Amino acid sequence: MLPPAASRPSDCIPAKFLHSSLNKVKHPINVVKWTPEGRRLLTASSSGEFTLWNGMGFNFETIMQAHDSAIRAVSYSHDDNWLISGDHDGYVKFWQPNFNNVQVIEAHKDPIRDLAFAPTDVKFATASDDATIKIWDFNTGKEELTITGHNWEVKSVDWNPVKGLIASGSKDHLIKLWDPRNGRCLTTFHNHKNTISKVLFDPKRGDILATCARDQTARIFDLRMMRDVVLLRGHDKDVQTLTFHPNYANLVSTGGSDGTLFHYLLDEQHAPQGVAHTISPYDSADPKTHPTHSIWPRHKVPFAHDWAIWSLDWHPLGHILASGSNDRITRFWTRNRPGDTAYINDRYHIGEAAAEAQGTWDRRGGKKQLQEQEEREYEDEAEGLVDQKMPPKQAQFPGIPGLPGLPSTANDGTSQGGAQPQFPGMGAVPPPPPPGGLPGLGIPNLDPSNPPNLKQLASLLGNLPPGSLPPMPPPIPGMAGVSGFPPPPPLPANFPGGVIPPGLLPPGFKLPPGFPQGVPPPPPPLAGGGLPGLGPSPMWHDGAQESKGGAVSSIRKRAPLPSQEESLAEEKRRGKYRTAR
């Protein structure tokens, strides 16, 4: 199997499903973009987050809050050293390859729909819902030119890779070509009948312009003839995006609003049955006046996504296609191996119901697999958000190491540096008071670090001036010699033995009159071996059978559980289960 650069375009069609990736918190994926070296895939969501996925294992790597609103467009510079992104609030951010944000500019007051770098990377263009296109100086971040001419929102813009030419598509159904030096409109195409979704130059020579619209079609324009030469048919719903293969300009992939993914070869018609075969304008005697050549998909993936596909992007090597959809899932597609035809019957080609009927997909197993995949993504995301991939320590009780359940005061290696609150909503726990007494008593010559003994404390208290200590409470009526403290409550009448067990009172302590003396007798054994008030336990019985004298063995064993055969026989006797005829 040769690499895409050494293969034919028909061998590079990404017809086989490879992997699905989804975030822990799911949001619609507006943009998918491979990093220039192809090691990672960058996805931009409607929550304003950047997510990086590994380009080999397709697992989660990291996530960051890049914008405060939905990200609508992302573009890498041609020298691969810069990244710019535009959001729904009209802001454009400049990023380094390590995703260090170096500059933010307010480019428009309305949402930004597309971004495009000039071939020299000195300038870039922005398209917005305010019906304008703006040219910016990348080094200074200053606006150089505002291009007006569209009558409605500008949905897409692209800069020719080799020429000083800008193409734009708008909600006014028009495609315009502009001179970026002075903003002059060079020509206007009126071929589409609805909102233009995407305009894109071929990445190699720049002679071909591909467009798609919400009129269920996509078109290929040849700038050398200033006309559309190919009409891409087959979609039943709006066409939202398209992309060129990085090595072959005649391989075009489109994504529809119904989640369909189609692949076209521009030099092959693939007309359905009942449609007459036509020739291309290039093969006609008069290319300028010959009718547009209609072609149909070489391969269809009707159930690629559940909802609209917003973005498509090829791996730089051309062997993997990534798709981002409104169903909050990023999917990877690749070419099938020679002789592999099983992919034609998967749920992405024939649907879930048909695949389940044929046995090529299990609905329950698919849901279980999706759940396991989500759990893996959760774990990967939790690990990726910890600095240096150090897992946080187990939560502990403050001041008591090893007690789980509450946050720990130690550094756990996270980006917060371990400064986590001990109790939610209570802040930090105050330290215990210092030993040696409490402040505010006004006792002189009392060192908290070296407390005196009781005799010294008594002498200090005796030398205090009158009125320094609060008065003692008055004596209790009927208790001579006892003042200020009520007597202990009497013991209950049913207290075992009516006495207090030994060891609970200090040595030499005398109980007041009325308290019984002595050690309580042991409690009597429970009848039947059960708990008080519950009777004998049904799950436990004596290990030996009762003797003739009625003596019960002290060895306790668990009663054997009934076998499945006995339980089934008992249920059959009750008439609940019967043998199938």
Side-chain angles (χ1 to χ4, degrees):
M1 193 171 184
L2 297 177
S7 302
R8 298 174 299 176
S10 58
D11 296 334
C12 300
I13 296 177
K16 185 177 181 179
F17 166 75
L18 200 58
H19 185 79
S20 292
S21 297
L22 63 162
N23 291 80
K24 177 180 179 180
V25 181
K26 305 176 185 63
H27 297 280
I29 306 300
N30 294 332
V31 183
V32 293
K33 184 71 66 174
W34 286 94
T35 55
E37 76 283 355
R39 293 183 178 181
R40 296 172 181 86
L41 177 73
L42 172 68
T43 62
S45 68
S46 60
S47 62
E49 294 174 331
F50 278 162
T51 306
L52 282 177
W53 305 94
N54 188 280
M56 297 291 291
F58 314 113
N59 58 294
F60 170 88
E61 286 201 355
T62 187
I63 188 172
M64 62 176 294
Q65 189 69 40
H67 287 262
D68 296 332
S69 60
I71 302 174
R72 298 298 182 185
V74 172
S75 179
Y76 272 100
S77 60
H78 293 84
D79 59 5
D80 303 336
N81 293 329
W82 292 97
L83 172 73
I84 56 176
S85 59
D87 63 16
H88 195 78
D89 292 338
Y91 288 93
V92 174
K93 292 189 176 183
F94 296 11
W95 307 86
Q96 292 176 332
N98 59 354
F99 294 95
N100 178 34
N101 183 217
V102 297
Q103 190 174 0
V104 181
I105 60 174
E106 186 178 4
H108 298 266
K109 298 295 183 181
D110 291 331
I112 294 176
R113 294 298 178 178
D114 208 354
L115 299 167
F117 266 103
T120 57
D121 294 332
V122 178
K123 305 178 189 301
F124 68 93
T126 60
S128 173
D129 282 353
D130 59 6
T132 64
I133 303 168
K134 292 186 178 182
I135 309 297
W136 301 82
D137 187 284
F138 180 76
N139 296 324
T140 62
K142 302 295 183 180
E143 178 186 346
E144 287 192 351
L145 181 64
T146 298
I147 300 176
T148 59
H150 281 289
N151 300 320
W152 217 341
E153 304 166 359
V154 183
K155 295 298 184 180
S156 182
V157 66
D158 195 23
W159 206 310
N160 194 287
V162 295
K163 302 178 179 66
L165 186 65
I166 291 178
S168 64
S170 172
K171 198 175 180 179
D172 58 6
H173 313 173
L174 301 180
I175 301 169
K176 291 180 177 290
L177 301 181
W178 308 89
D179 186 346
R181 298 171 297 179
N182 50 25
R184 184 171 63 95
C185 180
L186 301 178
T187 188
T188 301
F189 297 118
H190 300 78
N191 303 83
H192 285 288
K193 307 303 179 185
N194 210 323
T195 301
I196 309 299
S197 304
K198 185 74 174 179
V199 295
L200 186 66
F201 289 105
D202 73 279
K204 295 297 184 180
R205 301 177 57 182
D207 295 333
I208 301 299
L209 175 66
T211 65
C212 62
R214 296 181 181 176
D215 57 3
Q216 307 176 10
T217 63
R219 293 178 181 268
I220 305 297
F221 293 85
D222 192 330
L223 302 182
R224 294 166 295 185
M225 294 187 290
M226 282 296 178
R227 57 156 297 181
D228 58 330
V229 292
V230 178
L231 174 63
L232 279 59
R233 297 181 178 271
H235 279 279
D236 297 328
K237 298 292 183 180
D238 303 342
V239 185
Q240 298 292 347
T241 185
L242 55 79
T243 184
F244 283 100
H245 191 276
N247 298 322
Y248 305 104
N250 62 333
L251 176 54
V252 178
S253 301
T254 61
S257 61
D258 53 355
T260 56
L261 178 61
F262 290 174
H263 307 289
Y264 297 85
L265 291 177
L266 302 184
D267 51 358
E268 298 180 9
Q269 187 177 15
H270 291 285
Q273 295 182 357
V275 177
H277 179 75
T278 60
I279 62 174
S280 170
Y282 299 107
D283 300 330
S284 64
D286 188 4
K288 292 185 178 181
T289 59
H290 191 274
T292 303
H293 182 51
S294 297
I295 66 173
W296 281 262
R298 169 66 183 269
H299 186 84
K300 297 180 181 181
V301 188
F303 305 95
H305 286 271
D306 295 334
W307 294 336
I309 299 177
W310 294 129
S311 181
L312 295 171
D313 194 44
W314 278 98
H315 189 279
L317 296 180
H319 65 297
I320 298 177
L321 176 67
S323 60
S325 170
N326 198 42
D327 61 4
R328 303 167 176 84
I329 298 178
T330 302
R331 288 200 167 105
F332 298 86
W333 311 86
T334 187
R335 50 185 182 162
N336 60 297
R337 295 184 178 184
D340 181 12
T341 58
Y343 68 92
I344 301 178
N345 295 321
D346 63 6
R347 70 185 187 96
Y348 303 102
H349 286 79
I350 62 178
E352 295 183 356
E356 189 175 12
Q358 292 188 8
T360 58
W361 185 70
D362 182 14
R363 186 180 302 271
R364 295 182 179 179
K367 292 182 179 179
K368 182 179 180 181
Q369 182 180 3
L370 182 61
Q371 183 179 1
E372 293 176 353
Q373 179 181 344
E374 291 181 0
E375 293 176 356
R376 288 195 299 267
E377 300 296 350
Y378 297 167
E379 296 175 359
D380 294 341
E381 188 166 340
E383 294 177 358
L385 293 179
V386 177
D387 296 342
Q388 300 177 357
K389 295 186 177 180
M390 296 175 60
K393 295 182 180 180
Q394 188 180 15
Q396 298 175 350
F397 190 86
I400 306 179
L403 182 61
L406 293 176
S408 171
T409 58
N411 192 339
D412 59 356
T414 59
S415 58
Q416 287 86 356
Q420 307 291 341
Q422 283 77 16
F423 295 96
M426 297 182 61
V429 176
L438 296 175
L441 293 180
I443 303 179
N445 303 324
L446 184 60
D447 186 7
S449 62
N450 187 18
N453 55 25
L454 297 179
K455 294 183 179 180
Q456 294 177 353
L457 183 58
S459 62
L460 291 175
L461 293 176
N463 296 330
L464 290 176
S468 299
L469 295 177
M472 295 295 292
I476 299 176
M479 300 284 293
V482 181
S483 63
F485 301 98
L491 294 177
N494 57 352
F495 191 80
V499 295
I500 299 178
L504 298 181
L505 299 178
F509 183 83
K510 294 183 180 181
L511 293 172
F515 279 86
Q517 307 290 334
V519 180
L526 299 176
L531 296 177
L534 296 180
S537 173
M539 293 300 298
W540 295 86
H541 74 103
D542 297 338
Q545 298 293 333
E546 295 184 1
S547 63
K548 295 181 180 179
V552 181
S553 173
S554 61
I555 302 177
R556 305 175 63 85
K557 295 183 180 180
R558 182 180 295 273
L561 297 176
S563 63
Q564 294 183 0
E565 290 79 3
E566 295 175 355
S567 300
L568 181 59
E570 180 65 23
E571 295 297 331
K572 286 184 177 180
R573 284 194 295 268
R574 296 179 181 178
K576 292 186 178 181
Y577 292 95
R578 298 184 182 275
T579 305
R581 295 180 180 177

